[in-house]
Structure formats: C-alpha cells, structure tokens
Amino acid sequence: MKKLINEVEKVVEESLQGLAKAHADLVKLHPSVRAVLRVDSPKEKVAVISGGGSGHEPMHTGFVGFGMLDAACPGEIFTSPTPDQMYEAAKAVDGGKGVLYIVKNYSGDIMNFQMAADMLAGEGIPVEQVIINDDVAVEDSLYTAGRRGVGGTVLAEKIVGAKAEEGASLEEVKKLCERVNANVRSMGMALTSCTVPAAGKPTFELGPDEMEIGIGIHGEPGRQRMKVKTAREIVEMLATAVVEDLPFKAGDEVLAFVNGMGGTPLSELYIVYNDLSDFLEKKGIKIVRNLVGNYITSLEMQGCSITLLRLDEEMKRLWDAPVCTPGLRWGM
C-alpha cells in the first residue's frame, strides 16, 4: 500500500484538519464531534446537512458552504457517522427553520440519521429526511436494501442548498429534494479497485484486462464483470441503463454529470462526456447543464459514473445560483 498518510488511525482526522486550514474562510470543525460546519451558520434558514463514510471526497465535507450544505458529518473510511455527530452538527447550525437531512441509501446511514432525527424532534427542533437512491445498477447490495445513493446526492445537495439559501420553508426544501431524487438516475463502473488504509490491500480484485459494470462507491459488486471495452462502449452500457430506467425520453432537458471515481484522469472523463453527449443527442435528449470531474469518489479507484437529472425550470435556476464551497464554486 502506497498512500500519502502518516498514521492509518489518523487519516480522517488529519484530512479534516487540512480541509479546515485550507478553507478557513468557508468551513470550520465542530469543537467536540467530527463534523464540518459553515463558518457563518446563517439564521432564519433551513439547515441542510448530509454525511456518510469518508473516502468519497469532496462529497460531503467539500460541499459545506454558501448555497449548499450547512454541515457534513464524516465517518471513518467507508463507515457511517454516528448519531451524536449528526445531532450535534444540527444543533450547531440550526437557523430556526428546521433541519433537512439528505441521506444516501445505505443501511448504517439511514439508521444513524434516524436516531439523530429522533433526538432533535425530542427537543422540539423540526427535522425532515430525504433518502437518495438513484443507482440503477442493482436493487440490493452489501450495505443497502433497495437502490444505492450515489451521484444524485451531489446534485440534490446543490439544488436543495440553493433553495434553502433563499429562505424556503422546511416543507418546500424537502419536497424539492424528493423531486430531484425522483428525476435522477446513475450508474458507475470500475477499472481498478481501491485500497482502504485500515485494510492495506485492494477491496476486490480485477484482472489487468477486466472491468466491473455497476460497481458501488464502496467497491460493492455490480451487474457484470467483463473484458475492458472502449469508452464509447462503456458509455453505451451505462447510459442505456440510466435512460431506460426513469425513463428519459426525447425532448427532456437534463443535467449530465460525468463523475470520476478518484483515480481517473480528467482527460478521460471528457472523452466519456463527449461520448455521452453524442449518445443523448441521438435520442433527442438535450443537455442543458453539465458537471464533469471527481465529486463523489472511492479513494483512488479508476472508473466513472454517469448521472442524468431531468430538469424543470426551478431546478435550472437553483443549479445556476451562486455556490461557494471547497469542492464546488461559481457565481461568487
């Protein structure tokens, strides 16, 4: 194992310290639990909070700031955060209009966020949750009942965060998040495994000429293992599954999100985007917004995912709204 770390036990702690020092104008660390908070913690707005295992950076900690998340709760690598993290983070950023938890559909995340929500409700703090389950690859996986939450989470955090920034009510913010989840679909693939520092070895084995279609962001098994194909062939497989699931149809306006899994060069992601653009054009599906880069990763895994979100006019406006976080920034 070759990694730029000091001690295996301090990987997450030291990474968070570095994040807070590098972006001290945007984020700060909670004094008593592992949570990243907005430095300004504005009042009179719904607090939007997410979290999950570390190893997927910049999601979620890199998306804390103006126009996106008010707080993020990171667990250990690929391990859910604890209820006390989610509870204390919410208490720290509660602006008086309630709390929305955006939760990826993983069993540990759901259980722990629910416990935190129960504690908040017990203190009279309004709290709602929306579970993101946009992965079309498999119905059940190692850590989930039902579909996994993947790339759609990033898009939901941006759009919902912008809505909350406008002063929308908790009910309005929740309904928008549910609408995003209902209109977004994703699927990913891997060319290599990743190595969790505490394990010291690859999570799974892939031969030098193999790839896995439908892989999860923790290395969970996908739909099929096969010989490596061209980028165009891979896009055809992923995009077909995504388009047919919703289904997307001719005339739809979409946000196309090509995401790297952590170890894929940006040049290759643009090849994937080029092929995706051609694929969708042939089907009469119009890309009106896009995002290309490493935004929800799996440590150093090589691979990519494709996410499509069917946009309405409000989603377009909120996507374009200013955002200022360590991992996503425009219009500021």
Side-chain angles (χ1 to χ4, degrees), residues 16 19 27-30 33-38 61-62 64 70-74 89 93:
L16 292 174
L19 173 75
V27 300
K28 61 184 178 182
L29 301 183
H30 193 286
V33 299
R34 185 179 285 167
V36 178
L37 314 175
R38 281 178 64 165
T61 54
V64 175
D70 293 281
C73 306
V93 299

Side-chain angles (χ1 to χ4, degrees), residues 9-30:
E9 298 80 10
K10 294 184 177 181
V11 167
V12 175
E13 176 187 346
E14 292 181 350
S15 177
L16 292 174
Q17 290 171 352
L19 173 75
K21 290 175 181 176
H23 302 284
D25 58 326
L26 302 176
V27 300
K28 61 184 178 182
L29 301 183
H30 193 286

Side-chain angles (χ1 to χ4, degrees), residues 1 3 77 193-203 298-301:
M1 180 176 71
K3 289 184 179 289
I77 302 291
S193 180
C194 61
T195 298
V196 176
K201 60 181 181 181
T203 302
S298 186
L299 295 170
E300 79 280 25
M301 182 185 289

Side-chain angles (χ1 to χ4, degrees), residues 28-54:
K28 61 184 178 182
L29 301 183
H30 193 286
S32 61
V33 299
R34 185 179 285 167
V36 178
L37 314 175
R38 281 178 64 165
V39 293
D40 50 352
S41 297
K43 300 299 182 184
E44 296 307 315
K45 74 175 288 291
V46 172
V48 182
I49 301 172
S50 193
S54 297

Side-chain angles (χ1 to χ4, degrees), residues 214-228:
I215 198 76
I217 57 172
H218 310 96
E220 306 99 310
R223 284 187 178 185
Q224 187 178 5
R225 185 169 292 194
M226 63 180 70
K227 299 297 183 182
V228 173

Side-chain angles (χ1 to χ4, degrees), residues 187-210:
M187 190 167 170
M189 57 79 60
L191 297 171
T192 67
S193 180
C194 61
T195 298
V196 176
K201 60 181 181 181
T203 302
F204 59 92
E205 295 293 337
L206 272 177
D209 61 346
E210 289 184 320

